[in-house]
Amino acid sequence: MIVNALIATWWRKRGRNALREQYYEAHNRLRDLGIAVPPPLRKVETYVGWPAKAVDGVANRAVFEGYTFQGANENADLDAVVDECDFVSSYSQAVTDALVSSCSFLCITKGGFGEPDVIASAHSARDGAAIWDYRLNRIKCGIVVADVRRNSSGRVIGPALVNVFTRSETLVLRWARNGRWVLEARESNPHGVPLMEAVRYAPRLGRPFGKSRVSRPVMAITDSAVREALRSEVAAEFVAAPQKYVMGANDDIFADTTKWEAYMGSFLALGLDENGERMQVGQFPQGNMQSHTEYMRDLAARFAGETGVPISSLGVVHDNPSSAQAIYAAKEDLVIEASNFNRVNKSALRRVGMLMMAVAQGVTVGDLSAASRTIQPRFMNPSLPSVVSQSDAMVKQVGAIPWIGESRVALEQLGYDDAQIMRLMSDKRKAQANAAVAALVAPKEARDGDTS
C-alpha cells in the first residue's frame, strides 16, 4: 500500500520536475504570443540560461568539504568510504538537483562483487519519492526508481524496478508482466532508520521537502526573455538591412539580378517608368535596438530581484564599474541562501556519515563509538573570499588569539586543501621529531665536552 502511494507521488511529480530540468538546461520551448514575430521566423533558435544562474549561484557556494570529529581530524573507515564512492562529488550533484527540483536523495547500500564495501549514491527527485516523518523530522520511508517501462513510442508509462527503503529492511521490486510487483531482493536493516536521506532547499512546515529555485516566477521571466531574444534577432536583421522602396518600377528591372543583389549593389541604374516619369527610390526609417536592450535589462532586473543573482551575472553591463563593497553587497543574497542551505542539510549529512561508518564496520548506528558519533560535516565559506583577504583576516585572528595558529582550522581558512594540509602536518611532525632528537643529543655532546 505504501509502495503504491510512493509510486503515485513519483508519477505525479515527475512531469513537473522534468519541466524544471528543461529550464535549467535551457531546453525550454518558445512560448510565442503570435503578434510580433512572423511564423517563418519563429524557427530561429534562441536560448536564455538564467535559470542555471539561479541554481549554480547557490550550488557553487554550498560546497561540502568533508567530515571532522571532536578530538580528531579524520576517521580511517569513513575516509576510505568517502574516497571509494566519491561521496563529495555525489553530494555536489545532489545539491544541484535539490536546487532544481526542491530536493534530492542520498542512499546508503552495501556494495556487491567488485564494488566498494559501501556505496553512497545520489538520486534526483525525478527518480525518487519519500514520505516525511514530522515527529522525527526525517524520512519515514522512500523509493528510488532504478528502471522504467516504456510503450512502443518510447514514452515512459511507469516504473519497472524500484528500490524501497524502510526502517526495517531494503527491498528490490520488479514489475512483472501480469501487472504485479515481484520481490527480487530483500535485505534487513538493523539500523532502525531508512538508509535514505533527503537534501532539501528551503523546507517549511507545510512543505518539508522544500521548494525549487526554478520557481514559477523564474520560468515566467525566462519565457519573456526568450521571446525578447527572438524579437531582438528579428529586429537586428531589419536594422542591418533597412527596407527600401522603389515607386513606379516594374519587376523587369530585376530580370538580370535578384532583389538582394540589387539591394547590395554599389550602383542601381533606373530608367523612366512606363509613363515616362522618373522612378522614386526611398528608404523606410531604420529601426532602433535601444528599446529591446532596455526591455531585456528590465527582465534581468526582475530576475535578479526574484533570485538574488547579481544583475551583472546576467549579461547586463553597467555604465560605471562597481566598487568592492557593491560587488559583495550584490552577492550577499546568494551567500545567505547558501548558508541557510548548509544549515538545513547539516543534520542529514551527519546521519549519512554515521550510516556509512556503521555499514562499513558491520555494526548499527547505536553501536558506534562515542568519538565516531561526534561527526560533523565541514563546508566551504559561502562568501568565497579571496586568498589575500582571507589570509589577512586569519593573520589578525592569530595575532589576537595565538593558539589558533596551531589548529588545523587555520590552515583550512588560509585556503589549503586536504592534500596540502596532510603534507604540511607531516612536515611539521618531521620537524618536531628532528627538534626532539636534537634536544636529546645536544646535552650529551655538552657533557662529553666538559669531561674532555
Side-chain angles (χ1 to χ4, degrees):
M1 187 68 179
I2 295 179
V3 175
N4 291 332
L6 288 170
I7 292 176
T9 301
W10 166 79
W11 183 255
R12 186 176 67 253
K13 297 291 185 180
R14 186 177 185 275
R16 191 67 181 177
N17 291 330
L19 178 63
R20 294 191 180 104
E21 290 180 4
Q22 289 178 359
Y23 274 85
Y24 173 74
E25 297 171 356
H27 289 169
N28 52 298
R29 296 182 178 180
L30 170 68
R31 295 190 176 185
D32 186 50
L33 302 180
I35 300 175
V37 181
L41 299 180
R42 295 173 191 171
K43 298 180 181 179
V44 178
E45 296 183 355
T46 55
Y47 304 96
V48 175
W50 290 353
K53 291 286 187 179
V55 172
D56 296 340
V58 177
N60 292 336
R61 297 174 180 276
V63 179
F64 169 69
E65 293 187 320
Y67 289 103
T68 186
F69 299 83
Q70 183 177 352
N73 294 320
E74 54 189 17
N75 180 286
D77 293 332
L78 182 59
D79 289 344
V81 173
V82 170
D83 291 338
E84 289 179 354
C85 64
D86 198 10
F87 178 70
V88 175
S89 176
S90 297
Y91 179 75
S92 176
Q93 298 173 50
V95 168
T96 301
D97 279 284
L99 295 171
V100 173
S101 304
S102 79
C103 71
S104 59
F105 303 102
L106 297 173
C107 301
I108 312 300
T109 56
K110 290 184 178 179
F113 178 76
E115 297 178 341
D117 295 335
V118 182
I119 296 178
S121 56
H123 305 273
S124 67
R126 190 177 180 182
D127 299 326
I131 297 177
W132 190 255
D133 190 333
Y134 287 91
R135 182 179 180 184
L136 300 179
N137 197 29
R138 60 172 303 162
I139 289 178
K140 183 177 182 180
C141 59
I143 64 169
V144 171
V145 178
D147 194 10
V148 295
R149 293 178 285 121
R150 300 179 183 273
N151 56 17
S152 58
S153 61
R155 185 177 180 180
V156 177
I157 58 175
L161 185 66
V162 176
N163 298 326
V164 184
F165 299 88
T166 68
R167 294 176 179 175
S168 59
E169 56 188 357
T170 300
L171 309 175
V172 179
L173 304 178
R174 181 175 292 278
W175 182 262
R177 293 185 177 182
N178 58 4
R180 296 183 179 181
W181 290 102
V182 177
L183 180 63
E184 279 200 350
R186 170 179 286 176
E187 185 176 342
S188 62
N189 177 17
H191 305 285
V193 293
L195 302 181
M196 183 179 186
E197 289 290 342
V199 180
R200 304 171 294 160
Y201 170 69
R204 55 187 177 88
L205 293 179
R207 197 168 185 173
F209 289 103
K211 65 178 183 179
S212 171
R213 287 280 290 177
V214 188
S215 59
R216 287 181 174 84
V218 167
M219 290 188 285
I221 296 172
T222 303
D223 290 337
S224 298
V226 172
R227 286 194 296 268
E228 177 54 31
L230 178 59
R231 288 193 292 266
S232 299
E233 288 287 343
V234 175
E237 293 294 325
F238 289 102
V239 170
Q243 290 182 310
K244 297 182 179 180
Y245 61 87
V246 179
M247 299 181 62
N250 298 323
D251 291 338
D252 297 340
I253 63 175
F254 301 108
D256 297 331
T257 182
T258 64
K259 295 181 179 180
W260 177 250
E261 292 174 346
Y263 177 86
M264 295 298 297
S266 300
F267 298 96
L268 180 62
L270 299 177
L272 302 178
D273 61 8
E274 57 184 5
N275 298 324
E277 298 179 357
R278 293 182 178 180
M279 301 180 188
Q280 296 182 8
V281 180
Q283 176 178 309
F284 290 107
Q286 189 174 11
N288 188 359
M289 296 294 296
Q290 185 65 29
S291 59
H292 297 282
T293 303
E294 291 297 330
Y295 183 55
M296 186 62 81
R297 186 189 297 270
D298 178 66
L299 291 176
R302 289 170 54 191
F303 190 90
E306 183 66 32
T307 61
V309 177
I311 191 171
S312 59
S313 299
L314 302 177
V316 177
V317 181
H318 294 279
D319 296 333
N320 298 322
S322 302
S323 61
Q325 292 79 6
I327 294 175
Y328 181 82
K331 298 179 179 180
E332 186 176 5
D333 290 342
L334 292 179
V335 174
I336 295 174
E337 292 286 349
S339 300
N340 292 337
F341 184 87
N342 291 339
R343 186 180 67 252
V344 167
N345 295 287
K346 182 178 180 180
S347 58
L349 272 173
R350 180 176 180 273
R351 291 193 294 263
V352 168
M354 289 193 294
L355 283 173
M356 288 192 292
M357 286 190 295
V359 175
Q361 299 174 12
V363 300
T364 63
V365 174
D367 294 333
L368 291 174
S369 63
S372 297
R373 296 180 67 86
T374 62
I375 181 175
Q376 292 292 339
R378 186 176 75 254
F379 300 97
M380 184 183 293
N381 187 352
S383 62
L384 301 179
S386 64
V387 176
V388 175
S389 61
Q390 194 167 2
S391 300
D392 182 65
M394 181 52 58
V395 169
K396 293 179 180 178
Q397 294 179 40
V398 171
I401 310 175
W403 60 265
I404 292 182
E406 302 294 329
S407 171
R408 180 187 173 98
V409 176
L411 297 177
E412 294 173 355
Q413 294 299 317
L414 289 174
Y416 295 103
D417 57 28
D418 289 339
Q420 292 172 330
I421 291 175
M422 291 175 63
R423 292 173 59 189
L424 289 172
M425 299 300 290
S426 177
D427 292 342
K428 178 183 177 182
R429 287 191 293 267
K430 291 179 182 179
Q432 291 175 342
N434 293 335
V437 172
L440 293 174
V441 173
K444 183 177 182 303
E445 292 179 347
R447 289 195 301 271
D448 293 342
D450 294 341
T451 302
S452 61

